[in-house]
Amino acid sequence: MAKHGADEPSCRSGSLDGEGRTSEDRSLLHQRLAVQELIDTEVSYLHMLQLCASDIRSRLQQLPQGDLDVLFSNIDDIIKVNSRFLHDLQETASKKEEQVQLVGNLFLEFQEELEQVYKVYCASYDQALLLVDTYRKEPELQRHIQGIIEAVVPQAGSSGLSFLLVIPLQRITRYPLLLQKILENTVPDASAYPVLQRAVSALQDVNTNINEYKMRKEVASKYTKVEQLTLRERLARINTHTLSKKTTRLSQMLKQEAGLIPRTEDKEFDDLEVRFQWVSLCVTELKNNVAAYLDNLQTFLCFRPHEYSLDIPEGPAVQYCNLARDLQLEAFLTFKQRLEGLVWQPLCSLAKALLGPQNLIKKRLDKLLDFERLEEKLLEVGSVTYQEEAARHTYQALNSLLVAELPQFNQLVVQWLGQILRTFMTLQRDLAKQVLQRAEGSMAQLPHHHVPEPAFRKLVEDALGRTNNQLCSFQETFEKVLPPPTTQPLLPGSERQVQALLSRYGPGKLYQVTSNISGTGTLDLTLPRGQIVALLQNKDTKGNSSRWLVDTGGHRGYVPAGKLQLYHVVPSAEELRRQVGLNKDPRCLTPEPSPAPAPSIPTVNQVIAVYPFVARSSHEVSLQAGQPVTILEAQDKKGNPEWSLVEVNGQRGYVPSGFLARAPSPVLWGWSLPS
């Protein structure tokens, strides 16, 4: 009995140890089954992704490429990440004792990569479902898509595309559950237990971050739309709710400006916004500069010297025209096309890409005002409604999105700007290289092409120095010679009014209206074309120099300065004879008979030049006002009476007939027009 009693506790202890060992073995078995389930389902999942990316996507070529990009999103990136993940997962099978811990570490290692690829796919999932709904409205297209999917993936059934598209979402949400199952079958004192705990928490954070990212993307897609609405459409959207919301925001803003309530400060966002505004300004300025450059280039291309006859049979001028023709037809046109395609269009796209973030920043300010008001209410009352809580979450999502993505956006815009500038510089370099290559042949034919550049520069400077006096003389001559007046014909019966203005203000104050003027203000005048007025002041009372105060001889008022032209008083034939008669010898008392009315072109040979004229070719001759002229022929070779062949100072050439007037014979030297 004693012996039996002594053996009884030992039997009980052995029984307990057996039960504990059985429980541990059962947990270990369930743990290994959970790990094997993870690996097996990962193999099946990756195989399904590869079917979607290869077989199904390649057979859906009937769909536009844009639809395929939305439906399958970044599935190729998911396949790359999960392929490496599966490979490392299968490698853990060779280390049975450490497998669980290695699995936990593996999830921690792939945490960021999984989050990056899956959040992009999840963000575009709703848009993909919208496409699937549109396909269902086209029965023939839907049957075609369903037939392809059933042939490749029979288990998809009638769900079709929806069954395939949801698989990545289901997989990323299942990872925490699989890890939790492994954790539940791991003893707490095992070395793998804390690793698995961190892995479960990490995968839960991944799903949480994906949901937040998806919500931020939905908010962004809602507020980045830039709608071009008419005034009527904007007024149609106004209702009591919008009026109340805008009034509340305005009240909140006025309180902040008055210092009654504090303003929420976010230095991180403020710095990002300043950076964004600076980048936007750079894009706008560069776009304006490139637009001006293109306009100037277009104006430059309109100048075609090779299309004009220079009356130079040979020499450097002909070589220059040939070179200009080649550059105009090929080099410059190619440069313009490349500039528009590689610089201007990307710059316009970049400026368009800025509209979305600009709209988001503006919406953030509105949502911030709502958020501040709700925070005050939450402090006072302690609770908010469901709609108000949604408004708080909207601001938080919008602010988180901007803080997270504005740095990347700013960096990408700066990189884009740098690439555009580098492209522009490369195009300029290529153009210069082409011009030099095309000019080499022409330069080889020049007489001084063999002269080194320093010697050629000195040669040019010496030549310019020798002709400096001649150039200065030409400059003085051109400055003295004025172009012929282009006055409008006087209105009928206005001679007496002109004489009154002339006697009152003098010839230097008279102006002629070049086009009809319609006065719009109370002090503005309405004048017809050809009206003569006298200038009183060359600006209005506000200092605007584009409006002049004039006198018509009966009314005073303002007219546009751009429609006035200085009036040149042309003396009549009687005044010319009277002025010339003053210079005659006073001892000659014989009165000169009055000449008969003459046509516009004098019939006598001896006339005088009324206006100065500058010869423009070797077939013409220059005139000075008051210079005696001998008419050789009162018409040109084609019989046109508007030009006359004359002789001046021994030189022969053509001059306008209207610049000549009959003069008494003999012509007195020193005659001049009255100033």
Side-chain angles (χ1 to χ4, degrees):
M1 293 293 295
K3 183 177 180 182
H4 177 73
D7 292 340
E8 187 175 354
S10 176
C11 293
R12 292 179 180 177
S13 176
S15 176
L16 292 176
D17 292 342
E19 292 178 1
R21 190 177 301 108
T22 303
S23 176
E24 291 180 4
D25 294 340
R26 189 183 301 111
S27 297
L28 182 60
L29 176 62
H30 290 168
Q31 182 189 76
R32 290 177 179 175
L33 291 175
V35 172
Q36 191 62 38
E37 180 185 3
L38 171 63
I39 297 175
D40 293 342
T41 54
E42 187 69 20
V43 172
S44 176
Y45 166 67
L46 187 59
H47 176 67
M48 189 66 67
L49 289 184
Q50 291 170 343
L51 288 178
C52 293
S54 58
D55 295 352
I56 296 178
R57 184 169 57 180
S58 62
R59 297 187 185 187
L60 292 177
Q61 294 303 317
Q62 185 177 354
L63 300 178
Q65 184 61 40
D67 288 8
L68 294 176
D69 294 339
V70 174
L71 289 174
F72 298 97
S73 187
N74 63 329
I75 193 171
D76 294 325
D77 297 333
I78 295 177
I79 290 175
K80 291 179 182 179
V81 173
N82 279 82
S83 296
R84 292 190 293 107
F85 177 72
L86 177 60
H87 176 269
D88 294 347
L89 200 60
Q90 291 173 335
E91 289 290 329
T92 62
S94 60
K95 303 176 182 179
K96 293 294 184 180
E97 297 180 357
E98 303 177 359
Q99 184 179 16
V100 177
Q101 185 171 355
L102 292 175
V103 168
N105 288 328
L106 191 60
F107 272 100
L108 294 175
E109 179 183 347
F110 277 83
Q111 175 186 357
E112 293 185 3
E113 290 188 72
L114 291 173
E115 180 178 336
Q116 291 297 324
V117 294
Y118 279 93
K119 73 178 182 181
V120 174
Y121 185 89
C122 294
S124 61
Y125 175 72
D126 291 339
Q127 191 175 359
L129 291 183
L130 293 177
L131 285 177
V132 173
D133 291 337
T134 59
Y135 300 153
R136 292 196 180 112
K137 298 177 183 178
E138 301 180 20
E140 185 176 351
L141 179 61
Q142 177 65 17
R143 284 195 297 270
H144 174 71
I145 296 174
Q146 189 66 24
I148 293 174
I149 295 175
E150 289 180 355
V152 179
V153 187
Q155 62 268 34
S158 60
S159 300
L161 271 176
S162 301
F163 172 81
L164 299 177
L165 296 178
V166 77
I167 290 177
L169 275 72
Q170 294 175 339
R171 188 59 182 173
I172 192 64
T173 55
R174 193 177 179 187
Y175 281 141
L177 301 179
L178 292 172
L179 284 173
Q180 183 67 34
K181 189 174 182 180
I182 298 174
L183 178 64
E184 290 174 355
N185 292 283
T186 304
V187 293
D189 57 349
S191 59
Y193 193 86
V195 176
L196 289 174
Q197 280 185 319
R198 292 199 303 271
V200 171
S201 178
L203 267 295
Q204 290 174 347
D205 292 341
V206 166
N207 282 274
T208 301
N209 295 337
I210 290 175
N211 290 331
E212 291 181 357
Y213 180 81
K214 186 173 180 293
M215 183 177 66
R216 292 200 300 264
K217 283 297 182 181
E218 292 174 353
V219 172
S221 62
K222 177 181 178 181
Y223 292 114
T224 51
K225 296 178 181 178
V226 181
E227 298 179 325
Q228 302 295 335
L229 301 178
T230 62
L231 180 59
R232 178 175 297 179
E233 292 172 340
R234 293 180 183 276
L235 293 176
R237 292 191 175 187
I238 297 178
N239 51 40
T240 55
H241 174 70
T242 57
L243 287 176
S244 174
K245 185 167 59 176
K246 293 183 181 299
T247 303
T248 304
R249 290 173 180 171
L250 180 60
S251 174
Q252 187 78 8
M253 186 180 297
L254 292 176
K255 290 179 181 178
Q256 291 178 354
E257 293 294 334
L260 300 178
I261 57 176
R263 177 180 301 178
T264 303
E265 294 184 0
D266 190 344
K267 189 176 186 307
E268 182 181 7
F269 174 79
D270 293 341
D271 294 341
L272 291 175
E273 183 184 6
V274 170
R275 175 75 173 177
F276 172 79
Q277 299 299 343
W278 176 82
V279 170
S280 301
L281 180 62
C282 291
V283 173
T284 303
E285 290 295 327
L286 182 58
K287 183 181 177 183
N288 294 337
N289 291 337
V290 173
Y293 184 89
L294 284 172
D295 292 341
N296 294 334
L297 180 61
Q298 183 64 35
T299 304
F300 171 75
L301 292 177
C302 293
F303 175 68
R304 300 180 177 90
H306 53 277
E307 296 181 358
Y308 297 91
S309 177
L310 301 179
D311 294 334
I312 302 176
E314 58 184 6
V318 177
Q319 298 173 13
Y320 168 73
C321 288
N322 295 334
L323 176 62
R325 182 188 301 107
D326 294 341
L327 294 178
Q328 286 275 352
L329 298 179
E330 295 184 19
F332 288 134
L333 288 180
T334 303
F335 171 73
K336 181 185 176 185
Q337 294 173 358
R338 296 182 66 192
L339 185 66
E340 291 176 346
L342 300 177
V343 175
W344 175 248
Q345 292 180 2
L347 198 55
C348 292
S349 301
L350 181 58
K352 187 177 180 181
L354 295 172
L355 298 179
Q358 288 173 349
N359 202 29
L360 279 181
I361 291 175
K362 184 165 53 174
K363 288 294 182 181
R364 176 194 175 276
L365 177 60
D366 295 338
K367 300 302 178 182
L368 175 60
L369 295 174
D370 297 340
F371 178 80
E372 292 172 337
R373 180 181 60 83
L374 294 176
E375 287 294 307
E376 294 177 5
K377 180 179 179 181
L378 195 59
L379 291 175
E380 295 175 358
V381 181
S383 63
V384 291
T385 63
Y386 176 79
Q387 291 80 3
E388 292 173 339
E389 185 65 25
R392 293 179 69 251
H393 289 163
T394 299
Y395 163 74
Q396 292 171 344
L398 196 57
N399 186 71
S400 300
L401 176 68
L402 289 172
V403 171
E405 298 196 0
L406 265 185
Q408 303 176 18
F409 184 84
N410 292 337
Q411 184 178 1
L412 287 176
V413 173
V414 171
Q415 293 176 358
W416 202 344
L417 274 176
Q419 186 61 40
I420 290 175
L421 289 173
R422 285 190 291 270
T423 304
F424 182 70
M425 294 166 59
T426 303
L427 293 179
Q428 293 276 13
R429 183 191 61 191
D430 293 345
L431 176 64
K433 185 177 180 180
Q434 292 181 22
V435 172
L436 289 176
Q437 289 177 350
R438 295 175 182 271
E440 285 180 355
S442 299
M443 290 189 299
Q445 301 177 14
L446 295 177
H448 302 94
H449 71 278
H450 61 280
V451 179
E453 182 178 353
F456 180 76
R457 186 183 299 273
K458 187 177 185 305
L459 181 65
V460 173
E461 292 176 353
D462 294 342
L464 291 177
R466 288 193 299 269
T467 58
N468 184 42
N469 294 333
Q470 186 178 0
L471 291 175
C472 292
S473 176
F474 285 158
Q475 181 182 358
E476 294 176 358
T477 303
F478 293 152
E479 291 177 352
K480 290 179 181 178
V481 176
L482 297 176
T486 56
T487 57
Q488 303 291 336
L490 290 177
L491 297 176
S494 61
E495 291 83 359
R496 185 173 300 176
Q497 180 185 5
V498 174
Q499 291 297 330
L501 293 174
L502 183 62
S503 61
R504 184 173 182 180
Y505 297 102
K509 292 288 187 177
L510 297 191
Y511 286 81
Q512 190 171 26
V513 179
T514 58
S515 60
N516 295 333
I517 299 176
S518 298
T520 56
T522 55
L523 297 180
D524 294 342
L525 297 178
T526 300
L527 301 177
R529 179 187 180 192
Q531 174 79 37
I532 304 299
V533 297
L535 176 63
L536 299 179
Q537 192 170 2
N538 59 355
K539 58 184 178 181
D540 59 10
T541 55
K542 297 182 179 180
N544 184 8
S545 58
S546 62
R547 296 176 72 240
W548 287 3
L549 179 64
V550 299
D551 183 7
T552 63
H555 301 281
R556 294 185 177 186
Y558 292 98
V559 295
K563 294 188 176 183
L564 295 179
Q565 178 178 296
L566 186 64
Y567 179 68
H568 297 271
V569 181
V570 180
S572 62
E574 295 181 359
E575 291 176 345
L576 291 175
R577 287 195 299 272
R578 179 175 55 81
Q579 294 175 8
V580 172
L582 294 177
N583 296 328
K584 286 186 177 182
D585 191 351
R587 292 173 296 179
C588 182
L589 301 176
T590 304
E592 188 172 346
S594 59
S600 59
I601 299 178
T603 58
V604 295
N605 292 339
Q606 194 67 39
V607 296
I608 58 174
V610 181
Y611 306 113
F613 175 72
V614 179
R616 298 166 297 181
S617 67
S618 59
H619 304 292
E620 299 174 354
V621 64
S622 299
L623 298 177
Q624 296 290 336
Q627 190 174 15
V629 180
T630 301
I631 297 181
L632 302 179
E633 294 181 9
Q635 59 188 7
D636 60 10
K637 293 182 179 181
K638 296 182 180 180
N640 184 9
E642 295 182 357
W643 290 88
S644 299
L645 179 63
V646 300
E647 182 177 354
V648 182
N649 294 335
Q651 297 181 354
R652 294 188 177 188
Y654 287 96
V655 297
S657 302
F659 282 46
L660 304 177
R662 182 178 178 180
S665 181
V667 179
L668 297 179
W669 294 91
W671 185 93
S672 61
L673 287 175
S675 58

